[in-house]
Amino acid sequence: MKPLFSFETDYNMNTFISMARALRKTVRKKHSKRSHIFGWGVVVLGAVSVFLWGPKVLTIAAIIVLILALLFEDRLNAWFAMKRMLKGMEKARSDFYEDRYRSATDIGTTEWHYDKIKGIAEDNNYFIFLFSESHTQAYDKRKMSGGSQDDFRGFIEEKTGLTMQRI
């Protein structure tokens, strides 16, 4: 049977950054907001302590590290996720059929059913499926065949019963 849509996706740093951003802006949205409020509060308290009691190397270093972590959260999460990726999963071909989709890597082939998808999102380059607070799959729009992006968006919204979120 011929697939309705196909994607070739390279799982590189840009792909992982998009997946991390999708998680942060969808299923982790409340947790992320609370973490950022807490983090920036700690930065403010640290800065106040530097002004009140004088600069301490450890305090200033902690403030800088915290600011960098807050500003580059998606990149940090992407880097850690890439480190956990198994060899052979750097490239995936995914074929979408009426009742399922199939992803193939150098390690093997896996079949998925649309009812397992908990959220769908997209950015400029990827469609992203969300399965939990830590599991996603990305599909490169630039290496898509079988139809247009609008066709795929409508197809996946119909199959999952979810609305595509723009991130």
Side-chain angles (χ1 to χ4, degrees):
M1 178 195 307
K2 185 176 187 259
L4 301 171
F5 301 94
S6 293
F7 293 86
E8 297 280 339
T9 304
D10 295 323
Y11 281 88
N12 55 35
M13 188 61 156
N14 289 332
T15 310
F16 277 93
I17 290 170
S18 288
M19 292 189 302
R21 184 178 304 116
L23 285 170
R24 180 175 53 83
K25 291 188 171 198
T26 57
V27 296
R28 292 183 184 170
K29 190 173 190 171
K30 287 181 185 177
H31 181 267
S32 180
K33 187 178 277 191
R34 285 191 302 259
S35 296
H36 276 253
I37 290 168
F38 179 77
W40 287 111
V42 171
V43 167
V44 169
L45 289 174
V48 167
S49 76
V50 166
F51 288 115
L52 291 177
W53 297 295
K56 305 281 191 255
V57 174
L58 188 60
T59 304
I60 293 171
I63 291 170
I64 290 170
V65 167
L66 189 53
I67 289 171
L68 291 174
L70 289 167
L71 293 176
F72 297 103
E73 175 184 4
D74 294 333
R75 290 183 186 278
L76 281 169
N77 286 332
W79 184 80
F80 283 114
M82 280 188 71
K83 292 295 178 189
R84 291 190 311 253
M85 182 173 60
L86 299 172
K87 292 279 187 211
M89 294 188 71
E90 297 86 2
K91 295 183 184 296
R93 174 173 175 83
S94 301
D95 296 319
F96 289 80
Y97 302 93
E98 194 62 39
D99 60 339
R100 71 195 184 295
Y101 66 103
R102 183 177 295 148
S103 293
T105 65
D106 289 344
I107 292 177
T109 302
T110 307
E111 261 190 25
W112 301 83
H113 295 280
Y114 299 113
D115 63 341
K116 302 298 181 206
I117 300 169
K118 304 291 185 230
I120 51 177
E122 70 175 307
D123 65 8
N124 290 338
N125 298 319
Y126 301 97
F127 289 110
I128 300 161
F129 294 177
L130 305 132
F131 296 94
S132 70
E133 287 194 7
S134 59
H135 292 91
T136 63
Q137 294 173 343
Y139 303 95
D140 194 335
K141 292 178 175 181
R142 298 161 295 187
K143 297 179 184 175
M144 175 185 174
S145 60
S148 70
Q149 292 177 20
D150 287 335
D151 293 339
F152 181 75
R153 191 176 299 110
F155 171 80
I156 204 64
E157 285 180 339
E158 177 189 326
K159 292 298 176 187
T160 61
L162 301 168
T163 301
M164 185 72 68
Q165 297 179 52
R166 183 83 182 143
I167 55 167

